[in-house]
Amino acid sequence: MSYQSDALEKFNNLKNKKDVIVLSIESSCDETSIAVVKNGREVLSNIIATQIEIHRRFGGVVPEVASRNHILAISNVCKEALNEAGISEKDIDAIAVTYGAGLMGALLVGVNFAKGLAYSLGLPLIKVSHVHGHISANYISHEKLEPPFICLLVSGGHTAILKVEGYNKFVRLGTTVDDAVGEAFDKVARVLSLPYPGGPEIDKLAKEGKNVYHFTVSNSLKNTYDFSFSGIKTEVVNLVHNATQKGETLNFADIASSFQECVTDELALKAVKACKNYDLKKLVVAGGVGANSRLKEKLGALCEENNIKFYSPSLKYCTDNGAMIGSMAYYMIKDGIGLADLSLTAKPNIDLQQPNVVR
Ligand code: KG4
Ligand code: ZN
């Protein structure tokens, strides 16, 4: 039997198998992560080799450097994931991998490693969207959480409000028309001389400052679920550059606080508005910026006021990790979608609404 027909048969059998163990691989940006996840919610291991220190000296992720470091790390991360889970290769039911969105070279390392592993072990290979993995991180942290819900997706590459109608059914209500919010956090941090990644640094510094600038975002998107963050980003950059040229000193903590207040207001108000308009009583935050303490505070308070239950992943599953990919893969397997063949390649961009399946 060829690898592909064997994998297809195994994949189909997993639909009704009681316990499904997935080994999942994530390498879309600057974390090499491999996890072992049982039945979508139980994390047996989640090893993350981060490259943050390596990229910090460049002030951001250097794609070529990221790819090389994924290559150096991935075999050992895999061994460690199996060791920590206390299982051997023969206990694995499927291999899952992030095939996009992300940095092409970085993604290719994970995809090719996954293909080699799936072929050599004769296992089905599941292709997972990174963004959908971020949403699934919530299933790990909240064992009773099920769709439907509204998801506020906030990462370094994406900003969107999604109506999650099923585990594999995503309807995009709005998105950013320019920068992703994480990108805006990172760029503002850079102009404030904070190290990479800037988001957590702004979060920290903002606690020492006050919202004295009262920044606003463009009014033109007011009645939509869309976002625009390039205006406020440019305003902060110009403010700092002009002050530097005049030899003036600014209070960077106040700038951090004012920036953070503005963008978190915009995100929280629109996300809660979506819950109310679509009459959904659950709001889920997903992606790295979901770790922001002020955003969580505002979402928590607004949800309570409006009788909506608010969910966010525990901190370790907020930013990039393999476990969230294993969780998503489980629900794809159960819906019978996502089986890849050995021609699978990486995709830098993936439509947020694909695949589109209701159980
Ligand atoms: O989801 P993620 O790990 O990677 C992508 O898929 O993009 O998100 C990374 C982004 C970065 O822009 C980082 O600065 C931001 O998440 N981030 C934060 C915080 N922690 C991470 N932004 C604001 N506040 C935080 N506490
Ligand atoms: Zn991510």
Side-chain angles (χ1 to χ4, degrees), residues 26 28-31 101-102 130-131 134 153-158 180-187 189 196-204 259-260 264 286-296 315 318-321 324:
E26 156 63 39
S28 65
C29 190
D30 58 350
E31 328 275 5
H130 179 76
V131 161
H134 272 303
L153 170 68
V154 278
S155 72
H158 293 89
V181 65
E183 202 179 336
F185 263 97
D186 292 342
K187 285 191 180 144
Y196 172 84
E201 299 292 330
I202 290 199
D203 196 349
K204 237 187 287 168
F259 166 78
Q260 185 174 267
T264 53
V289 184
N292 185 270
S293 61
R294 195 65 185 120
L295 178 62
K296 285 198 283 190
L315 217 53
C318 242
T319 43
D320 295 347
N321 66 88
M324 66 186 199

Side-chain angles (χ1 to χ4, degrees), residues 5 87 113 116 216 220 231 235 295 345:
S5 51
I87 63 161
F113 189 82
T216 51
S220 64
E235 204 176 334
L295 178 62
T345 189

Side-chain angles (χ1 to χ4, degrees), residues 95-118:
I95 306 292
V97 66
T98 301
Y99 77 110
L103 302 171
M104 190 64 182
L107 286 164
L108 278 172
V109 177
V111 166
N112 284 318
F113 189 82
K115 288 202 290 193
L117 209 56

Side-chain angles (χ1 to χ4, degrees), residues 204-225:
K204 237 187 287 168
L205 185 62
K207 293 191 199 315
E208 295 161 26
K210 287 196 206 73
N211 182 7
V212 296
Y213 289 97
H214 300 288
F215 295 125
T216 51
V217 290
S218 155
N219 232 355
S220 64
L221 300 174
K222 197 168 166 235
N223 296 319
T224 70
Y225 294 111

Side-chain angles (χ1 to χ4, degrees), residues 223-237:
N223 296 319
T224 70
Y225 294 111
D226 289 333
F227 300 101
S228 167
F229 297 113
S230 76
I232 181 174
K233 177 198 72 186
T234 309
E235 204 176 334
V236 175
V237 171

